[in-house]
Amino acid sequence: MPGKSRYNLVDDRHDLRVPLHNEDAFQHGICFEAKYIGSLDVPRPNSRVEIVTAMRRIRYEFKAKNIKKKKVSLLVSVDGVKVLLKKKKKKKKEWTWDESKILVMQDPIYRIFYVSHDSQDLKIFSYIARDGSSNVFRCNVFKSKKKSQAMSIVRTVGQAFEVCHKLSLQHTQQDADGQEDGDSEDMGGPGTPQQAGRGSVLGTPAEGRPW
């Protein structure tokens, strides 16, 4: 079971912290279907209230502009969250796969800041990610067919974070072991590997159940 952390990536009070998927599944990716409502840049949120407010503002603004929801597939893996437009099936002779034309967004796990439901409508969920070049935070809002599906997606992203964190610890340990082996030859002290994972870019101080 994942240890406690001072970061709260996922807000899901109904989650008993039982892993939904085999960890190996995250190597290939776990796919979900949903409707993409829209995205907006947001200030760095400091509380759950601010996150939910941003989520609802995006829903309101896109609805006011009469922007239709888009059917998408969300692929959650150790590489991150990838959102692809769902295209209507074409005849085999005409089918061509060009991901660049259907890719809506792609965010690595380590840049996903927060994943949450809307407590007033559990079919609505969102995740906030930080742009790699501008460091701007962006809130992406989706709607699933069922509440249970939205909860599964939120928990799956949370589990993907845990899997990536575990992998980073394994790599860190391997690097440390390798460094110690090298240092034992020249009588130097063991190196201090830089540990990736929960520290710098993910989450806010936990307000609820820590991940």
Side-chain angles (χ1 to χ4, degrees), residues 17 39 42 45 51 63 75-76 90 93 105 128 139 155 157 160 164 172:
R17 298 179 68 188
S39 302
V42 296
I51 293 166
K63 187 174 183 179
L75 186 67
V76 183
K90 298 180 180 181
K93 293 181 180 179
M105 66 189 76
I128 294 177
C139 183
R155 290 179 59 189
V157 176
C164 288
T172 298

Side-chain angles (χ1 to χ4, degrees), residues 82-97:
K82 183 184 293 186
V83 181
L84 302 168
L85 282 177
K86 281 195 69 179
K87 293 289 188 179
K88 293 182 179 179
K89 291 183 179 179
K90 298 180 180 181
K91 294 180 180 179
K92 290 184 179 180
K93 293 181 180 179
E94 299 176 0
W95 178 257
T96 55
W97 181 263

